Amino acid sequence: ISVKDALVGINQLIDEDADKGKEPPPVNAEPMTRQFLRTFSTANELKRDQLQKFLKGSITTPEEFVQRGWCEEKNKVFTRIDPLAFAREWSGRHRRRLTSDLDQALVLIGACFDGSGINASDTLNNENFRPHVALRSLLEWLSRNGPEQSTRSAALRAVSIYRVWHASQAPQPAQASLFDDDGEYEE
């Protein structure tokens, strides 16, 4: 963990005491993901000065969110990226680079929008895709705290698809053998 991520995490722990009543982002999410979700909460957009005030003292800048592709700035207003647009941007790209927990969640949620034309199972079944440990909890959190009903509904679909996929990944019980590795009978 980098020093910056550690500082972001420490600041988040301090700030969470002030956010009583709000559901905090999953604790196993990456520090920058937690910062982004705490900052935007259920809002779809924030004015530049409001965002800068919120991030003051956190060593995080709005530009870091933009660089990650999680929001965009236009006319001094930061708007969350549409998960469908995010997923379409990832369409056809190598899944090995899809490592950020929020990136993975946005791709799966975007694929679950009605008429997306993207199959979420294709991403999950891609041999190069490695789901982040926080992916399921992020999908669940976004199904309750997404900025719009369409995002919450798509996140709920993504949770269902992820659960089915995850259950299929469980190790299958091995059939016991009467013979050991040498082919000899065991007693």
Side-chain angles (χ1 to χ4, degrees):
I1 185 168
S2 70
V3 172
K4 182 174 182 158
D5 283 347
L7 289 173
V8 168
I10 290 168
N11 283 331
Q12 289 170 8
L13 290 173
I14 294 167
D15 290 342
E16 281 179 5
D17 285 341
D19 288 343
K20 299 277 190 229
K22 288 184 182 178
E23 179 184 7
V27 294
N28 57 352
E30 295 170 1
M32 285 300 287
T33 296
R34 288 177 50 81
Q35 183 69 47
F36 178 78
L37 295 176
R38 281 186 57 256
T39 302
F40 276 86
S41 187
T42 58
N44 199 36
E45 60 183 38
L46 292 172
K47 292 180 180 172
R48 175 179 265 288
D49 61 336
Q50 183 183 7
L51 183 56
Q52 287 176 325
K53 285 177 188 174
F54 189 85
L55 294 175
K56 188 175 184 174
S58 72
I59 73 166
T60 305
T61 65
E63 287 72 28
E64 290 180 88
F65 297 152
V66 172
Q67 288 172 356
R68 292 171 186 266
W70 297 344
C71 66
E72 53 192 12
E73 181 185 15
K74 187 175 182 182
N75 299 328
K76 297 184 180 183
V77 175
F78 287 87
T79 306
R80 286 172 100 145
I81 194 72
D82 174 44
L84 179 55
F86 192 87
R88 285 187 172 145
E89 190 172 310
W90 267 97
S91 187
R93 289 174 58 188
H94 208 288
R95 295 298 187 243
R96 185 173 306 146
R97 294 188 192 106
L98 187 60
T99 57
S100 164
D101 55 358
L102 188 55
D103 289 355
Q104 290 180 358
L106 290 172
V107 165
L108 291 178
I109 291 169
C112 291
F113 271 79
D114 290 332
S116 73
I118 304 169
N119 187 338
S121 296
D122 287 349
T123 294
L124 291 169
N125 291 320
N126 186 304
E127 66 185 28
N128 295 310
F129 179 73
R130 302 286 178 260
H132 191 281
V133 67
L135 180 56
R136 180 176 173 174
S137 53
L138 270 176
L139 293 171
E140 291 169 346
W141 190 89
L142 287 164
S143 74
R144 293 184 302 274
N145 298 286
E148 301 164 336
Q149 182 57 47
S150 59
T151 300
R152 292 188 296 272
S153 296
L156 197 54
R157 272 188 223 124
V159 169
S160 297
I161 292 168
Y162 181 83
R163 284 181 179 155
V164 169
W165 173 82
H166 190 263
S168 73
Q169 301 302 303
Q172 301 299 319
Q175 182 174 349
S177 174
L178 294 174
F179 301 95
D180 66 11
D181 292 334
D182 296 333
E184 297 178 18
Y185 180 74
E186 292 181 6
E187 293 186 36

